[in-house]
Amino acid sequence: MPLFQTIQFNETTKILIWEITESFDDLYSRVTLKEKTQRRLDGMKSQMHQRAFLSVRMLIQEMGFTDKDLHYDEFGKPYFDCHNHISITHSYHFAAIIISHEKVGIDMELQREKIQRIADKFTDYDCNYLEPKVTEEYIKKLTVIWGAKEAIFKIRNEKGISFKDHININNFSLGETQTQASLHFDDLIKDFDVHYQEIKSDNFEGIFTLVYAFEK
């Protein structure tokens, strides 16, 4: 399947989403992997994980890069040897990347009721505006909050950062598409612009939440 969606956020920021419908063999035949990447792929036990991994390489190729251009630092954060920043996410049958001149992070999550059971593990400040009820809106908001904190963590990627204690997502409306957030960690204080939207597919059940953040 070709690209599911392309979002040109601004002149220097682009988001690409891939819907993973191809077989492993189909994806594998369409990418060229360096030796280190091949070893990583071979070590994956889940074929779904392998297909998502290869789909990310397809997205990178769509942007004019190759697997040889993509590296990971000691904490597992992806980067290019150029002025572009990259962040990667995959969830079930979707994979997505964001490439920008700005520091960015991206996350994609399937909206599920089970997120309510772990809400107290990643929300604190956010509880000031959340109404804990078993409702569709509550699940959607929790998914945005989790995705935003994941995206921000991917930007900073520092050991010891707690979603619950250190990352705060400002109040927001599901009728809008953006909010603000902040990170308070040791002596570090950073602010972020957060953007969110829902992703649906005719091929698979469920609604996904796409969240991406920019460090100010």
Side-chain angles (χ1 to χ4, degrees), residues 138-149:
Y138 180 54
I139 293 169
K140 288 177 181 288
K141 280 200 166 187
L142 282 177
T143 308
V144 171
I145 291 169
W146 175 264
K149 295 189 178 191

Side-chain angles (χ1 to χ4, degrees), residues 42-203:
D42 292 341
M44 296 177 183
K45 296 180 180 180
S46 164
Q47 190 174 99
M48 188 66 238
H49 193 186
Q50 290 178 318
R51 290 164 64 205
F53 187 77
L54 292 172
S55 296
V56 168
R57 271 68 201 165
M58 293 293 295
L59 291 171
I60 291 169
Q61 290 180 178
E62 290 283 342
M63 288 293 293
F65 295 93
T66 70
D67 181 59
K68 290 183 178 180
D69 299 315
L70 183 65
H71 310 283
Y72 293 85
D73 67 16
E74 59 182 312
F75 302 108
K77 183 177 182 179
Y79 68 93
F80 290 129
D81 286 326
C82 63
H83 55 273
N84 283 300
H85 296 273
I86 180 173
S87 185
I88 295 168
T89 186
H90 47 79
S91 180
Y92 293 88
H93 300 283
F94 282 106
I97 64 171
I98 184 169
I99 294 179
S100 177
H101 289 185
E102 304 175 61
K103 292 182 179 180
V104 290
I106 193 170
D107 190 61
M108 198 169 185
E109 301 287 342
L110 175 65
Q111 295 174 11
R112 298 182 291 174
E113 291 185 2
K114 67 179 293 185
I115 197 171
Q116 298 170 98
R117 299 200 296 269
I118 61 169
D120 62 337
K121 298 184 184 301
F122 67 90
T123 59
D124 185 16
Y125 166 89
D126 328 278
C127 291
N128 294 325
Y129 58 82
L130 278 174
E131 295 182 11
K133 299 177 181 178
V134 185
T135 64
E136 183 178 353
E137 179 175 324
Y138 180 54
I139 293 169
K140 288 177 181 288
K141 280 200 166 187
L142 282 177
T143 308
V144 171
I145 291 169
W146 175 264
K149 295 189 178 191
E150 280 278 8
I152 289 167
F153 181 79
K154 288 179 180 180
I155 295 173
R156 298 308 310 183
N157 205 36
E158 297 180 38
K159 186 177 180 180
I161 292 178
S162 163
F163 283 19
K164 181 175 182 177
D165 300 327
H166 302 137
I167 306 176
N168 300 329
I169 311 301
N170 289 2
N171 195 3
F172 62 95
S173 167
L174 293 174
E176 299 177 354
T177 60
Q178 67 181 85
T179 187
Q180 306 295 311
S182 60
L183 169 67
H184 299 258
F185 179 59
D186 292 338
D187 296 327
L188 178 69
I189 300 176
K190 290 289 183 179
D191 294 318
F192 302 85
D193 289 322
V194 175
H195 301 262
Y196 51 92
Q197 66 185 76
E198 290 188 342
I199 302 293
K200 302 177 183 178
S201 167
D202 293 333
N203 295 314

